């Protein structure tokens, strides 16, 4: 650190110090203490998708403020998951935006970066060693044009969850192929059990199965081509997967009124044993656990989405939760300190206890989780990198919203697969232009 020249000699310094000390003593004698610098004030804006999200965030902020509040004080504010999608832009573009805020990865993150809301966090990755401490699979998604713009706090994987007790009752084996899974589904249907839980009221749940089917039938390159705007949504492969989803709906493969039941209420029929399979992200584990210390409330296990062709099956691994620091924040260094606390081993361990798996910190101890959860955590770590994210994370909201509208319409029998994909492509062309072939 370079100091400016002031011409202050040692004698002058000692004389000045003595005077200051005498003055301080005089002030102290009057019962007036020295003035303390006010702490840096940080605002953290996040989505509280689950009740446990709020509980964990409150603990995170309270613990920080107990130890550091006199230096850096954090105030949190949240909205529910659906509201956050629209509220985020309003907050980020306001005259007093939050210093730290929740973000998705992929296309939604790219939109925020393009708008100039996210600060470049590359220097902080180097300062705090996040490249080394965080799961490699979670860090790979943070880079855009050679710079890192977010810090992952939770990593996720999408798998097929199944009721072990129903599997045993029906004499089923864990399927290795799509045909085997559909044979199991037919047996469940014959027994009066819904083969698959969908809970598609909010539109986003159905895309999970659509994405997995696209990847595992036609390959990761084909799916990523759609996400990266290299393949049009009217491609016959995308239409085919949409038609397959339509056929599942028409064949009674989903729970009754699947387009009317929301994700949270769907836990009730699942717990009651009214559905056999549920393809969903690992974020669902918090709901499966409920108030218990260890998952799950009913006998549950998982398997990776099975092979649909001669291509090797691919498990979806992605960043479920991430945080950014606002580019306009005047306290980026202080904000980075709080973010480092968020991904620390201590905070990550508490996240598993209060909230849900899986924290992005690679050293997080999973030993207190159930064997099933530990097995999934190991599978995610062994993957080493991100594989694919679902449509509403991978593409800008304008495109994904049109896709989700169309898919729900197809499942309801309101429109045909070709119409849904054509509408999605029309919106995609408006956003990114026509694809050059």
């Amino acid at each position: 650190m370079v100091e400016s020249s002031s011409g202050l000699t040692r004698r002058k310094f000692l004389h000045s110090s003595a005077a200051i000390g005498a003055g301080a003593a005089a002030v102290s004698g009057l019962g007036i203490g020295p003035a303390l610098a006010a702490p840096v004030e940080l605002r953290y804006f996040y989505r509280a998708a689950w009740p446990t999200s709020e509980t964990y965030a409150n603990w995170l902020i309270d613990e920080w403020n107990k130890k550091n509040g006199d230096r850096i004080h954090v105030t949190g504010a949240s909205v529910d998951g659906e509201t956050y999608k629209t509220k985020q832009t309003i907050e980020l573009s306001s005259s007093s935006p939050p210093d730290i805020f929740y973000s998705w990865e992929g296309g939604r993150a790219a939109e925020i970066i393009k708008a100039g809301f996210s600060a470049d966090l590359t220097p902080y990755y180097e300062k705090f060693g996040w490249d080394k401490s965080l799961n490699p699979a979670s860090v790979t998604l943070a880079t855009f044009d050679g710079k890192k713009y977010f810090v992952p706090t939770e990593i996720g994987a999408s798998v097929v969850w199944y009721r072990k007790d129903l599997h045993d009752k029906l004499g089923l084996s864990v399927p290795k192929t799509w045909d085997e899974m559909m044979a199991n589904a037919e047996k469940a249907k014959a027994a009066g059990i819904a083969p698959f839980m969908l809970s598609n009221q909010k539109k986003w749940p159905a895309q999970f199965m659509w994405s997995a089917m696209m990847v595992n039938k036609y390959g990761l390159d084909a799916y990523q081509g759609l996400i990266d705007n290299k393949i049009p949504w009217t491609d016959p492969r995308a239409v085919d997967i949409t038609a397959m989803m339509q056929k599942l709906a028409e064949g009674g493969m989903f729970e009754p009124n699947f387009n009317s039941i929301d994700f949270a209420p769907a836990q009730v029929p699942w717990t009651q044993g009214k559905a056999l399979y549920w393809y969903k992200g690992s974020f669902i584990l918090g709901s499966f656990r409920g108030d218990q210390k260890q998952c799950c409330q009913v006998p549950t296990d998982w398997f990776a989405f099975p092979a649909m062709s001669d291509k090797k099956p691919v498990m979806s691994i992605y960043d479920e939760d991430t945080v950014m620091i606002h580019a306009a924040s005047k306290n980026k260094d202080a904000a980075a300190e709080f973010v480092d606390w968020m991904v620390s081993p201590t905070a990550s361990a508490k996240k598993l206890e209060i909230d849900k798996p899986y924290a992005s910190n690679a050293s997080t101890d999973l030993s207190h989780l159930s064997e099933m959860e530990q097995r999934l955590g190991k599978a995610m770590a062994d993957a080493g990198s991100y594989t694919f994210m679902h449509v509403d994370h991978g593409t800008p909201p304008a495109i994904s919203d049109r896709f989700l509208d169309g898919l729900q319409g197809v499942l309801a029998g309101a429109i045909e697969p070709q119409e849904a994909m054509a509408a999605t492509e029309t919106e995609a062309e408006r956003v990114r232009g026509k694809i050059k072939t």
Side-chain angles (χ1 to χ4, degrees):
M1 179 176 177
V2 178
E3 295 183 356
S4 62
S5 175
S6 63
L8 183 65
T9 66
R10 182 174 183 273
R11 180 176 293 180
K12 287 180 180 179
F13 173 75
L14 292 173
H15 180 74
S16 300
S17 298
I20 292 170
V27 170
S28 178
L30 293 173
I32 302 174
L36 298 176
V40 171
E41 292 289 343
L42 295 178
R43 290 180 58 229
Y44 170 37
F45 181 51
Y46 59 96
R47 69 161 190 165
W50 326 101
T52 54
S53 304
E54 196 72 76
T55 304
Y56 174 65
N58 288 337
W59 176 88
L60 197 69
I61 295 168
D62 289 346
E63 286 298 306
W64 171 269
N65 286 336
K66 286 177 186 177
K67 299 176 182 178
N68 305 284
D70 59 339
R71 187 173 58 88
I72 301 171
H73 184 266
V74 178
T75 302
S78 68
V79 292
D80 66 83
E82 287 301 311
T83 304
Y84 192 88
K85 293 177 181 178
T86 53
K87 185 70 171 175
Q88 183 190 54
T89 303
I90 297 171
E91 288 289 323
L92 298 187
S93 57
S94 70
S95 58
S96 57
D99 299 277
I100 307 160
F101 59 94
Y102 168 89
S103 174
W104 291 270
E105 82 280 57
R108 287 183 178 268
E111 289 281 293
I112 294 171
I113 296 165
K114 183 179 178 181
F117 293 135
S118 180
D120 176 11
L121 302 185
T122 308
Y124 297 117
Y125 266 84
E126 295 173 0
K127 178 178 180 179
F128 294 106
W130 293 331
D131 271 326
K132 297 182 177 66
S133 63
L134 303 183
N135 193 309
S138 66
V139 172
T140 53
L141 285 169
T143 303
F144 294 78
D145 296 326
K147 298 178 180 179
K148 292 183 173 65
Y149 284 95
F150 65 68
V151 176
T153 58
E154 181 180 327
I155 186 172
S158 294
V159 295
V160 182
W161 305 98
Y162 71 98
R163 286 290 302 265
K164 290 179 63 177
D165 50 345
L166 297 182
H167 243 230
D168 293 342
K169 181 180 179 181
L170 296 173
L172 306 178
S173 299
V174 173
K176 301 295 183 182
T177 67
W178 172 262
D179 289 342
E180 289 177 3
M181 185 166 71
M182 293 312 297
N184 286 354
E186 290 292 350
K187 291 180 181 179
K189 182 182 172 183
I193 301 169
F196 298 97
M197 183 69 73
L198 200 64
S199 61
N200 197 47
Q201 183 191 73
K202 296 290 177 61
K203 303 178 185 178
W204 60 266
Q207 67 173 327
F208 279 71
M209 197 164 185
W210 189 97
S211 300
M213 290 166 65
M214 182 72 186
V215 168
N216 288 290
K217 183 173 183 179
Y218 291 113
L220 189 56
D221 288 345
Y223 179 74
Q224 203 60 44
L226 288 171
I227 300 300
D228 293 340
N229 300 315
K230 296 177 180 178
I231 297 174
W233 290 90
T234 49
D235 186 278
R237 292 168 291 187
V239 174
D240 175 53
I241 296 301
T242 310
M244 289 183 68
M245 290 286 291
Q246 180 187 49
K247 186 176 180 181
L248 290 174
E250 292 174 347
M253 289 293 165
F254 303 127
E255 78 274 17
N257 305 310
F258 57 82
N259 265 344
S260 300
I261 185 172
D262 196 8
F263 175 78
Q267 299 291 332
V268 175
W270 174 261
T271 303
Q272 293 173 339
K274 294 183 178 179
L276 180 66
Y277 295 135
W278 199 346
Y279 181 73
K280 196 62 62 188
S282 51
F283 55 80
I284 202 172
L285 284 167
S287 300
F288 284 168
R289 182 174 62 187
D291 295 330
Q292 298 182 167
K293 287 186 177 182
Q294 196 175 63
C295 196
C296 298
Q297 297 183 82
V298 294
T300 303
D301 209 328
W302 64 272
F303 58 85
F305 202 90
M308 295 185 71
S309 63
D310 58 355
K311 301 181 185 299
K312 183 180 179 180
V314 179
M315 179 191 293
S316 174
I317 299 175
Y318 51 90
D319 287 335
E320 177 62 28
D321 288 349
T322 80
V323 289
M324 291 179 168
I325 295 177
H326 202 291
S329 173
K330 297 178 181 179
N331 300 298
K332 294 184 182 66
D333 288 353
E337 282 193 57
F338 180 69
V339 171
D340 190 52
W341 156 244
M342 294 178 73
V343 295
S344 68
T346 300
S348 298
K350 199 69 175 180
K351 178 177 176 59
L352 292 183
E353 178 186 333
I354 296 177
D355 194 14
K356 60 189 186 317
Y358 291 87
S360 61
N361 191 300
S363 66
T364 306
D365 182 12
L366 305 181
S367 61
H368 70 283
L369 297 180
S370 67
E371 183 278 332
M372 172 269 290
E373 292 172 294
Q374 291 185 51
R375 195 174 354 110
L376 180 55
K378 184 178 185 304
M380 292 162 62
D382 289 346
S385 67
Y386 135 83
T387 53
F388 71 94
M389 64 189 82
H390 303 291
V391 177
D392 70 342
H393 283 203
T395 64
I399 298 175
S400 62
D401 287 350
R402 187 58 57 89
F403 168 81
L404 297 177
D405 286 343
L407 182 57
Q408 187 180 60
V410 169
L411 296 174
I415 58 174
E416 291 300 314
Q418 296 88 342
E419 295 177 82
M421 293 300 100
T424 304
E425 179 59 22
T426 297
E427 185 61 24
E429 288 180 3
R430 186 190 68 79
V431 174
R432 43 85 166 142
K434 288 189 175 183
I435 293 175
K436 296 180 180 179
T437 56

